[in-house]
């Protein structure tokens, strides 16, 4: 046997409650390409903070999380109210 066998995550659905109380969902349909999902500002790479903390005056522009496609790579902001699916 070559290494350890394990299940494969096929999809991640995330429900987000926004500051105005509305609920949105976002889906990551190919999570096998991700190395990390970051929810807390303290874990966001310094180089990604400007994409995570977009606006102090408009919370709709701020993403709920950053996703990374490889360790140490720039994050992709995801889950802002402005780009919500529902």
């Amino acid at each position: 046997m070559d290494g350890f066998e394990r299940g494969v995550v096929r999809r991640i659905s995330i429900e987000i409650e926004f500051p105005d109380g509305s609920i949105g969902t976002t889906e990551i349909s190919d999570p096998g390409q991700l190395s990390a999902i970051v929810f807390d500002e303290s874990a966001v790479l310094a180089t990604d903070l400007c994409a995570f903390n977009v606006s102090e005056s408009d919370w709709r522009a701020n993403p709920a999380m950053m996703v990374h496609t490889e360790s140490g790579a720039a994050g992709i902001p995801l889950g802002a109210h402005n780009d919500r699916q529902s």
Side-chain angles (χ1 to χ4, degrees):
M1 181 165 78
D2 289 338
F4 297 94
E5 292 184 81
R6 64 187 82 247
V8 176
V9 177
R10 298 284 183 200
R11 181 180 57 212
I12 300 171
S13 295
I14 300 171
E15 183 177 275
I16 303 163
E17 182 177 354
F18 295 102
D20 67 353
S22 66
I23 303 289
T25 60
T26 192
E27 188 171 289
I28 300 169
S29 58
D30 191 9
Q33 300 301 310
L34 299 182
S35 63
I37 302 173
V38 178
F39 299 104
D40 189 86
E41 180 179 350
S42 67
V44 173
L45 297 174
T47 53
D48 290 338
L49 281 174
C50 62
F52 191 72
N53 293 329
V54 176
S55 177
E56 285 188 47
S57 61
D58 184 7
W59 59 265
R60 291 167 185 84
N62 298 319
M65 69 201 93
M66 298 292 285
V67 296
H68 293 268
T69 56
E70 57 185 72
S71 183
I76 301 164
L78 191 63
H81 186 273
N82 294 337
D83 62 36
R84 69 186 191 161
Q85 294 174 6
S86 63

